[in-house]
Amino acid sequence: MPNDSEVRTAVAPPGSTAVARLRSLGSGRTGPLVGIVVVIAVLATWPLLAANPYMLSAGVIVLNFAVFATAWNLMGGLTGYVSLGHIAFFGLGSYGTGLAVIHLGINSFVAVLLAAIVVGLISLLVGWAALRVRGASFVIVTIAIVLVLLLVFQSWRSVTGGSSGLVVPRPFPDMLRPEHHRVFFYIFLGLLALVLVSYLVVDRSRLGQALKAIREDEDKAQSLGIPTALLKLAAFGISCFLTAIAGGVYALWFGDLDPIFQFDVVLSSQIALMALLGGVRYLFGPLVGAIIVGSALEYFLLNFGETQFHLVATGLLLVAVVLFAPDGVLALGAALIRRLGPSATSIREMSAADVRAQQDERAAARGAGAGGSVTEEPSERASDD
Amino acid sequence: MVSGALLFQSLILGLLLGGLYALLAAGLTLYFGIMRVVMLAHAAFIILSAYLAWWFSSVTGLDPMISLVGSVPLFYGIGYLLHRYLLSRLRPTTMTMMSVLLTFGIALAIEGLLGLVWTGTQRRINLPYGPTSISFLGAQIPVVQIISFGLAALSLGVLYLIMKRTQFGRSLRATIQHGQAAQLVGIDTTKVAGMGFGLGLATAAIGGAALSLQATIYPSLHWHWIGPLMAIIVVGGLGSIPGAAIAALALGTIRVLLEIPMGPTWAQTIFYVALFLTLMLRPQGFFGGRLAQRF
């Protein structure tokens, strides 16, 4: 895996001693990389387990969500700037890819890259305006971007096809549908690996440290000399670039684009929900959230059909997550393991032993001073407490 | 060339629409002032109230305005409970972001419930005076637009009097200006903030009923309202009610005037253009105080 070695060399600074290298191993720097390999390997078994092409296509959708949510987390999780408008860049990436394939006649995957680069540049322009404000205003702006693009893409019929949609030529025209799903499942899986590694690299870099400082306290970060405006823009650009790639590959897979789905604020919020539900501070948080929410959405669609029930469910789940698990299920799981596991009890025993040792020492000192047999008394008093 | 009469008519219609926008944006501004909360569910509650008005008038055959007797107290109560049991439970440090997500979730739930109960079919109230319009200096103004403007103006006037002249209004303004200081002089800020939220949601009830007179309603309509309303409060300056009112009148008028050359869909983009221009030139908004940029 080229990404793997790349990161490992980047992590170990040149000329570091063996001790430092060992310490960097000990502090879990390679752990997440191993984790990524294991997770990708486990997910790669899905096409073998999937009973029918429908399950396979559901897997593709969930993976698409996972890529999208992890890319979102590069901005939302690291800087704390919650964007409800990332679908705008997803949609731009998919339309850009579709239009490039149709009009330029280039290779489909080159078109994805081209579209993603253009969208990345657009996102820098948008981010420059949007990141001038914080918190709630930022969220408003990101929602506004989606709503305005929806208007534009629905009205600009001559280019986008309007509400009747845009048909994107398939990259593998003579492939049967199940085979098509299988190929795209592995493409999305590769994309997921790319996005996870990108997140890890940014997270462990000085950029990531600065972004997290911005998340915790932007004013303090600024006063420490962090160029906050520039770094926020960088994170936004990277996040939007990766999102646009996901959008472009989605366009190639699905083959039919409609503004109402490509610029759907509800889906955009579901992406944010996935990241939050899984836990924005965890590498695999958005992936876990995507699997939970994505499967739930498919389940609702299968069992309740095209009703509004999935909206109610999404809404209530969002409310519940915000109120009861704002750090995500992975944080809840970690807390549970900490409570059940041996580490928590060992800490309590350690401290109790420390107290007893101290008391024994004191009692021994007092006993030595009085020369009597009162050594039992203090420890009894301690157990009463 | 556009005729003068058409221009004049559009100007009047724009001002009337702006009045409705002003009422709807006032509620949003109020929530923001009280808790630094951006209430994305505001537009969903507006649509909910419009549905209640439609349902009331189609079941009883009475004028939809009478539904306000029930919906205003109901929405006031919902607003109070919403603040008391949901929003005030959020951690203060992440309040702004989490409140956006929380209210977004509420908006989705309301949209879904409307769809479940009354289906996604487009609804419109048939009023005996619906199609009539009166002429004013050569402009044809639909009666329903005048009624909803009147309702909006009346409610904004009442809101102004409550804020300026009553004991509750004074407590609410004190809570908005400095919560801790308000507590020190003996104001029960939690209760006052909850009542303020109720007041904001009551304006949504009135705005929704006014909207139901002149618009075709459907569950996902709130997306068409929340964007413009958010743009209005950012342009006006977050937290400033007069700012929101001025921005609403100005943008509402410009929108209707732009409909002549551009058509309704593209005219809608004026709100987003104004939003981005505001962020470029004056991120704190044109009438906002020191608060705006931080949140």
Side-chain angles (χ1 to χ4, degrees):
Chain A
M1 224 182 175
N3 289 326
D4 197 320
S5 59
E6 219 174 87
V7 171
R8 203 169 286 155
T9 49
V11 159
S16 63
T17 62
V19 176
R21 210 172 290 146
L22 259 179
R23 195 176 295 152
S24 75
L25 250 173
S27 66
R29 288 203 169 193
T30 48
L33 268 181
V34 175
I36 291 176
V37 172
V38 170
V39 165
I40 296 293
V42 169
L43 289 176
T45 59
W46 178 251
L48 308 176
L49 299 173
N52 50 44
Y54 166 72
M55 292 306 282
L56 197 54
S57 76
V60 176
I61 289 175
V62 168
L63 272 188
N64 180 29
F65 286 156
V67 173
F68 193 170
T70 309
W72 179 93
N73 204 32
L74 252 164
M75 182 72 197
L78 287 178
T79 67
Y81 275 71
V82 170
S83 158
L84 291 183
H86 255 53
I87 193 92
F89 303 102
F90 184 85
L92 282 177
S94 56
Y95 267 98
T97 303
L99 293 174
V101 171
I102 292 169
H103 295 297
L104 302 181
I106 50 179
N107 178 286
S108 300
F109 294 95
V110 177
V112 171
L113 198 62
L114 184 71
I117 290 170
V118 173
V119 173
L121 293 177
I122 294 174
S123 79
L124 290 182
L125 276 178
V126 172
W128 179 67
L131 289 165
R132 290 171 64 110
V133 288
R134 295 183 191 178
S137 310
F138 176 77
V139 184
I140 293 174
V141 176
T142 57
I143 295 174
I145 295 167
V146 183
L147 294 175
V148 74
L149 283 176
L150 176 61
L151 275 179
V152 169
F153 275 75
Q154 277 184 329
S155 311
W156 200 9
R157 293 188 149 273
S158 55
V159 174
T160 64
S163 309
S164 45
L166 182 75
V167 176
V168 183
R170 285 170 190 266
F172 314 112
D174 40 342
M175 198 176 268
L176 289 176
R177 194 159 281 259
E179 192 56 30
H180 191 253
H181 289 327
R182 194 186 312 276
V183 168
F184 270 91
F185 185 89
Y186 288 116
I187 292 175
F188 271 111
L189 202 58
L191 209 52
L192 181 64
L194 171 77
V195 175
L196 285 171
V197 170
S198 308
Y199 180 88
L200 194 61
V201 170
V202 173
D203 186 40
R204 297 299 162 100
S205 66
R206 281 180 65 83
L207 172 64
Q209 296 296 318
L211 293 176
K212 279 181 269 188
I214 291 172
R215 176 180 73 198
E216 299 307 328
D217 192 326
E218 187 161 348
D219 289 322
K220 278 190 193 123
Q222 206 159 13
S223 71
L224 286 172
I226 295 172
T228 51
L230 196 67
L231 297 188
K232 280 189 294 183
L233 194 58
F236 192 68
I238 297 170
S239 171
C240 291
F241 173 74
L242 293 170
T243 304
I245 292 184
V249 177
Y250 173 83
L252 294 182
W253 173 64
F254 199 70
D256 189 6
L257 304 176
D258 184 335
I260 213 100
F261 296 114
Q262 296 307 308
F263 299 101
D264 180 9
V265 165
V266 177
L267 178 57
S268 202
S269 68
Q270 282 165 345
I271 297 298
L273 169 64
M274 289 168 199
L276 280 169
L277 180 68
V280 290
R281 299 190 178 204
Y282 297 86
L283 172 62
F284 297 114
L287 171 64
V288 171
I291 292 173
I292 298 173
V293 176
S295 338
L297 286 176
E298 284 297 313
Y299 175 80
F300 281 130
L301 202 61
L302 269 185
N303 289 277
F304 300 98
E306 288 285 332
T307 68
Q308 302 290 311
F309 192 73
H310 71 280
L311 280 180
V312 182
T314 306
L316 294 182
L317 188 60
L318 193 55
V319 169
V321 166
V322 167
L323 283 181
F324 304 115
D327 296 325
V329 288
L330 285 185
L332 284 184
L336 198 68
I337 289 170
R338 223 175 296 135
R339 202 177 303 155
L340 296 179
S343 59
T345 52
S346 79
I347 286 170
R348 204 181 300 139
E349 277 168 13
M350 282 288 279
S351 64
D354 279 352
V355 169
R356 175 157 298 174
Q358 269 180 0
Q359 282 172 341
D360 285 350
E361 245 175 50
R362 215 177 295 149
R366 200 184 299 160
S373 57
V374 286
T375 44
E376 279 302 299
E377 198 195 335
S379 68
E380 259 173 49
R381 200 184 295 153
S383 65
D384 283 347
D385 290 342
Chain B
M1 196 56 220
V2 182
S3 72
L6 182 60
L7 215 56
F8 180 66
Q9 168 143 354
S10 294
L11 195 65
I12 303 270
L13 289 179
L15 283 173
L16 293 180
L17 182 68
L20 185 58
Y21 275 130
L23 174 64
L24 299 180
L28 274 180
T29 308
L30 205 56
Y31 310 123
F32 185 81
I34 295 167
M35 279 194 89
R36 314 283 173 265
V37 157
V38 173
M39 172 77 166
L40 285 179
H42 190 65
F45 276 108
I46 292 168
I47 305 302
L48 175 64
S49 159
Y51 261 95
L52 289 177
W54 163 79
W55 180 67
F56 175 81
S57 107
S58 63
V59 168
T60 63
L62 296 170
D63 193 273
M65 286 300 109
I66 300 173
S67 71
L68 285 176
V69 176
S71 64
V72 169
L74 175 72
F75 275 48
Y76 178 85
I78 294 175
Y80 185 81
L81 296 176
L82 200 63
H83 172 263
R84 197 57 182 270
Y85 292 104
L86 295 179
L87 288 166
S88 56
R89 287 182 175 228
L90 298 175
R91 293 179 206 152
T93 45
T94 54
M95 168 70 89
T96 311
M97 284 300 186
M98 287 300 169
S99 69
V100 170
L101 293 168
L102 183 70
T103 56
F104 195 99
I106 295 170
L108 287 182
I110 291 175
E111 183 188 337
L113 282 176
L114 285 177
L116 279 179
V117 176
W118 285 304
T119 73
T121 316
Q122 302 202 339
R123 310 283 184 183
R124 195 177 176 104
I125 300 179
N126 287 313
L127 288 169
Y129 50 85
T132 48
S133 43
I134 56 171
S135 40
F136 170 74
L137 297 176
Q140 293 291 319
I141 313 295
V143 172
V144 284
Q145 292 234 3
I146 296 174
I147 294 176
S148 47
F149 179 81
L151 206 59
L154 185 70
S155 321
L156 277 176
V158 171
L159 186 64
Y160 179 83
L161 286 180
I162 290 176
M163 294 293 279
K164 288 282 180 188
R165 295 291 161 82
T166 65
Q167 184 67 39
F168 162 67
R170 269 191 286 276
S171 317
L172 184 57
R173 280 185 294 139
T175 308
I176 289 172
Q177 279 170 15
H178 201 300
Q180 279 180 321
Q183 273 177 335
L184 282 175
V185 296
I187 296 171
D188 181 353
T189 50
T190 318
K191 192 175 148 206
V192 167
M195 289 163 74
F197 249 78
L199 201 60
L201 215 56
T203 67
I206 299 171
L211 182 68
S212 74
L213 292 180
Q214 49 169 303
T216 303
I217 52 175
Y218 45 93
S220 61
L221 180 62
H222 69 108
W223 296 115
H224 294 277
W225 282 86
I226 196 69
L229 292 180
M230 292 291 170
I232 285 169
I233 66 169
V234 171
V235 172
L238 284 173
S240 159
I241 293 185
I246 294 169
L249 282 175
L251 290 176
T253 311
I254 296 173
R255 187 205 138 163
V256 175
L257 287 178
L258 282 179
E259 278 183 14
I260 305 172
M262 300 168 81
T265 313
W266 287 101
Q268 184 93 2
T269 55
I270 179 64
F271 290 103
Y272 306 112
V273 174
L275 175 64
F276 282 100
L277 284 179
T278 306
L279 291 180
M280 304 267 192
L281 302 174
R282 214 179 137 79
Q284 71 272 37
F286 285 96
F287 305 92
R290 66 205 153 71
L291 285 177
Q293 199 175 3
R294 296 264 161 245
F295 300 95

